[in-house]
């Protein structure tokens, strides 16, 4: 078995030997082949980058092992990815664990072992998260950049023993490689001697958040943020070291486990829900038939194993880990209600500035200056609709208030008197709106109030 302690692929191909290591006491890579019982084994590193072991240096046919038949995370020109028809074995690219650790990672790239040869997939474990599209004889439909004939020539080859893809640069002076990055993206790179760095001419998937569960359990991917992975509120990275090195696959864990059971509470409060808007909902939900958001919330609270719910075209509950979470743009996602410990909900409220100090009188009838009205809700609705919420403020405060908090409190009160119970916010939502954790828009005038207004006029 040939063993090397090689620390990584050099950024400069000419510096390859600077990365070799003579410390063989702790091998980190080997050919993983059985001893051949001969002392005349030789290793040859070809100009193509293929490392070949032979039992006899003078016999070109006595190949014991070669790196082109055993790819890791890099696909070089003249190497192949595909199926050995004799053994049934498929050759895939497999990511490193991270930048510095060549141990096998979670992602792989290769043809479907159970389907047509002329598709190539990206996997996270056994989950396919991206497809190349059909091979049209020149390139994959999903990667039209491959059809640029001025640089590289890709081809699909069928022989008696193999069906595989390979490629070659049209100019032999071009240094190129295809790498499956540990972030789950496949990249085609060209070496630029002028800048002494790799320039990637195409990569897939383009949107990093399309990589299945790239941020791990309870991690959220947002393509518009840097870095694009973050933990849900109330969670923290499982491994801070991995997270800081841009390896998010380990995901996140709870800071505080929520209380569950009839007698479990913190300062008189039990676990509750934090609403996260515009989310791409996670997979593996359990559907439940209920009539309102409030019933859906209640159903989740009644089960200690329920950790989140959403009410959209029915009630969806989640148990166990949340995976493949995505933060979407406004209006593209759904509201996800995440279950958190009472202490976490209190902390989130404090971070947002606390509850509003303004008070709104719920009087039935009163004279205010020269303005007469018979029924307060009708008058209040008109003021809120016109944006004149300061008129609703308790006169004893002498106008001393935070207008943003007053507007928020007025609108949430307006939502609470909607005719349809399904349109009314849950108590969890009310608290989060008042604490400024979620936004609240202008509600419609309830039909019952409109009738009163019309009758009074």
């Amino acid at each position: 078995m040939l063993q090397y302690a090689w620390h990584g692929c050099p950024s400069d191909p000419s510096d390859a030997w600077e990365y070799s290591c003579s410390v063989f006491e702790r091998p980190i890579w080997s050919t993983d082949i059985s001893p051949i019982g001969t002392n005349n084994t030789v290793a040859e590193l070809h100009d193509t980058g293929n490392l070949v072991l032979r039992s006899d240096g003078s016999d070109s046919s006595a190949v014991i092992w070669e790196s082109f038949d055993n790819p890791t995370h890099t696909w070089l020109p003249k190497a192949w990815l595909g199926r050995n028809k004799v053994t049934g074995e498929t050759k895939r690219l497999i990511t490193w664990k991270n930048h510095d650790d060549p141990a096998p990672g979670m992602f792989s790239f290769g043809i479907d072992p159970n389907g047509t040869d002329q598709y190539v997939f990206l996997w996270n474990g056994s989950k396919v998260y991206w497809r190349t599209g059909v091979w049209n004889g020149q390139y994959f439909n999903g990667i039209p950049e491959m059809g640029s004939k001025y640089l590289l020539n890709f081809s699909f080859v069928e022989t008696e023993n193999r069906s595989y893809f390979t490629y070659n640069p049209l100019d032999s002076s071009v240094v190129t490689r295809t790498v499956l990055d540990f972030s789950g993206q496949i990249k085609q790179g060209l070496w630029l001697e002028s800048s002494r760095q790799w320039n990637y001419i195409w990569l897939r998937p383009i949107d990093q958040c399309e990589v299945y569960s790239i941020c791990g359990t309870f991690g959220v991917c947002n393509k518009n943020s840097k870095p694009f992975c973050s933990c849900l509120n109330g969670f923290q990275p499982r491994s801070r070291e991995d997270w800081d090195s841009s390896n998010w696959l380990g995901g996140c864990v709870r800071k505080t486990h929520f209380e569950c059971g009839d007698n479990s509470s913190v300062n008189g409060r039990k676990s509750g829900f934090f609403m996260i808007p515009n989310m791409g909902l996670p997979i593996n939900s359990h559907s439940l038939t209920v009539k309102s958001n409030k019933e859906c919330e209640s159903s989740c609270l009644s089960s200690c194993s329920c950790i989140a719910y959403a009410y959209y075209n029915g009630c969806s509950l989640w148990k166990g880990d949340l995976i493949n979470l995505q933060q979407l743009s406004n209006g593209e996602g759904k509201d996800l209600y995440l279950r958190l410990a009472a202490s976490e909900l209190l902390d989130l409220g404090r971070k947002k500035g606390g509850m509003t100090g303004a008070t709104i009188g719920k009087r039935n009838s009163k004279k205010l200056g020269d303005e007469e009205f018979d029924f307060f809700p009708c008058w209040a609705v008109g003021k809120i609709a016109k944006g004149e919420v300061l008129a609703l403020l308790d006169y004893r405060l002498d106008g001393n208030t935070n207008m943003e908090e007053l507007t928020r409190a007025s609108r949430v009160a307006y939502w609470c008197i909607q005719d349809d119970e399904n349109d009314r916010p849950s108590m969890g939502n009310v608290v989060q709106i008042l604490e400024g954790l979620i936004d609240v828009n202008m509600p419609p005038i309830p039909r019952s109030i409109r009738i009163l207004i019309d009758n009074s006029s």
Side-chain angles (χ1 to χ4, degrees):
M1 178 170 62
L2 180 66
Q3 295 180 339
Y4 285 94
W6 217 314
H7 284 289
C9 288
S11 59
D12 181 352
S14 64
D15 292 338
W17 291 111
E18 295 180 12
Y19 281 74
S20 62
C21 178
S22 60
V23 182
F24 288 90
E25 290 80 3
R26 189 177 62 86
I28 59 173
W29 172 85
S30 75
T31 57
D32 194 26
I33 57 175
S34 302
I36 57 175
T38 180
N39 293 326
N40 62 345
T41 303
V42 296
E44 299 173 352
L45 182 60
H46 294 189
D47 291 341
T48 60
N50 191 17
L51 178 63
V52 179
L53 297 185
R54 302 184 187 280
S55 60
D56 184 351
S58 63
D59 184 357
S60 60
S61 64
V63 175
I64 303 170
W65 180 94
E66 56 183 310
S67 61
F68 274 15
D69 284 349
N70 298 272
T72 54
H73 72 325
T74 301
W75 181 19
L76 295 177
K78 299 185 184 300
W80 65 282
L81 293 179
R83 176 183 293 106
N84 185 319
K85 295 180 179 179
V86 177
T87 64
E89 183 182 11
T90 58
K91 300 295 183 180
R92 300 183 186 179
L93 297 184
I94 300 177
T95 55
W96 284 17
K97 186 176 180 181
N98 56 46
H99 279 303
D100 303 315
D101 189 348
M106 292 296 296
F107 302 112
S108 60
F109 176 79
I111 66 172
D112 181 6
N114 301 313
T116 175
D117 290 339
Q118 298 193 36
Y119 285 87
V120 178
F121 298 151
L122 279 169
W123 287 270
N124 181 340
S126 60
K127 176 73 174 181
V128 173
Y129 62 87
W130 183 80
R131 296 168 172 81
T132 59
V134 180
W135 176 254
N136 64 13
Q138 294 182 321
Y139 58 88
F140 292 108
N141 289 343
I143 318 177
E145 300 95 316
M146 292 175 64
S148 301
K149 288 294 186 180
Y150 66 93
L151 282 177
L152 305 172
N153 179 34
F154 285 82
S155 59
F156 177 71
V157 181
E158 283 273 10
T159 69
E160 182 180 352
N161 297 325
R162 293 177 182 174
S163 56
Y164 63 92
F165 288 95
T166 188
Y167 71 101
N168 291 290
L170 297 180
D171 183 347
S172 60
S173 65
V174 171
V175 179
T176 183
R177 66 177 184 178
T178 307
V179 176
L180 181 57
D181 191 80
F182 76 93
S183 64
Q185 289 178 310
I186 187 75
K187 303 176 180 181
Q188 182 74 53
L190 298 178
W191 177 256
L192 300 182
E193 187 61 31
S194 58
S195 59
R196 299 186 68 78
Q197 64 182 4
W198 291 101
N199 177 46
Y200 293 103
I201 57 177
W202 60 261
L203 61 85
R204 292 295 189 280
I206 296 175
D207 182 353
Q208 184 70 67
C209 292
E210 290 183 28
V211 177
Y212 180 75
S213 195
I214 182 61
C215 300
T217 56
F218 300 108
V220 181
C221 190
N222 186 343
K223 66 180 180 181
N224 297 319
S225 67
K226 296 291 184 179
F228 50 81
C229 280
S230 62
C231 289
L232 289 169
N233 285 299
F235 289 75
Q236 61 189 1
R238 184 182 303 275
S239 168
R240 175 55 64 181
E241 181 180 358
D242 286 347
W243 204 264
D244 292 341
S245 64
S246 301
N247 182 4
W248 302 282
L249 293 174
C252 310
V253 293
R254 285 187 184 274
K255 296 177 182 177
T256 307
H257 287 278
F258 61 79
E259 307 78 26
C260 194
D262 294 337
N263 300 318
S264 299
S265 64
V266 174
N267 296 329
R269 295 187 61 179
K270 297 184 178 181
S271 64
F273 294 96
F274 179 79
M275 192 191 82
I276 310 172
N278 300 311
M279 291 294 293
L281 298 180
I283 63 171
N284 299 329
S285 64
H286 301 268
S287 299
L288 192 66
T289 302
V290 297
K291 296 181 179 179
S292 66
N293 183 81
K294 187 176 297 184
E295 285 186 35
C296 190
E297 175 184 10
S298 230
S299 298
C300 190
L301 275 177
S302 66
S303 171
C304 290
S305 61
C306 185
I307 57 173
Y309 81 91
Y311 188 71
Y312 175 75
N313 289 337
C315 177
S316 298
L317 307 179
W318 283 270
K319 301 178 180 181
D321 295 337
L322 299 181
I323 57 177
N324 205 41
L325 291 164
Q326 290 189 46
Q327 184 73 62
L328 305 178
S329 301
N330 286 338
E332 294 182 359
K334 312 302 177 188
D335 295 338
L336 178 69
Y337 294 83
L338 176 67
R339 192 171 187 175
L340 294 176
S343 58
E344 290 291 340
L345 291 172
L346 288 170
D347 287 343
L348 287 171
R350 294 188 189 104
K351 290 176 183 177
K352 287 292 183 177
M355 299 284 284
T356 177
T359 59
I360 301 175
K362 298 284 182 172
R363 298 155 293 204
N364 287 333
S365 179
K366 185 175 177 64
K367 180 178 180 180
L368 187 62
D370 295 330
E371 190 172 2
E372 294 282 354
F373 55 90
D374 295 325
F375 188 57
F376 178 80
C378 296
W379 174 83
V381 162
K383 294 298 182 183
I384 296 173
K386 294 176 183 177
E388 300 173 359
V389 294
L390 195 59
L392 307 178
L393 188 68
D394 193 307
Y395 70 93
R396 291 170 295 182
L397 294 177
D398 295 324
N400 183 20
T401 187
N402 181 309
M403 285 300 297
E404 181 184 350
E405 292 182 348
L406 179 58
T407 300
R408 192 184 305 131
S410 302
R411 288 182 176 181
V412 74
Y414 201 164
W415 274 111
C416 287
I417 60 171
Q418 293 295 305
D419 295 312
D420 189 341
E421 181 184 349
N422 292 331
D423 293 333
R424 302 171 194 167
S426 66
M427 285 307 299
N429 279 351
V430 170
V431 171
Q432 292 181 51
I433 292 171
L434 294 177
E435 291 180 347
L437 299 177
I438 57 177
D439 295 329
V440 58
N441 57 5
M442 186 65 191
I445 298 177
R447 182 172 176 273
S448 56
I449 297 296
R450 187 178 295 278
I451 292 173
L452 290 172
I453 293 173
D454 293 342
N455 289 342
S456 64
S457 61

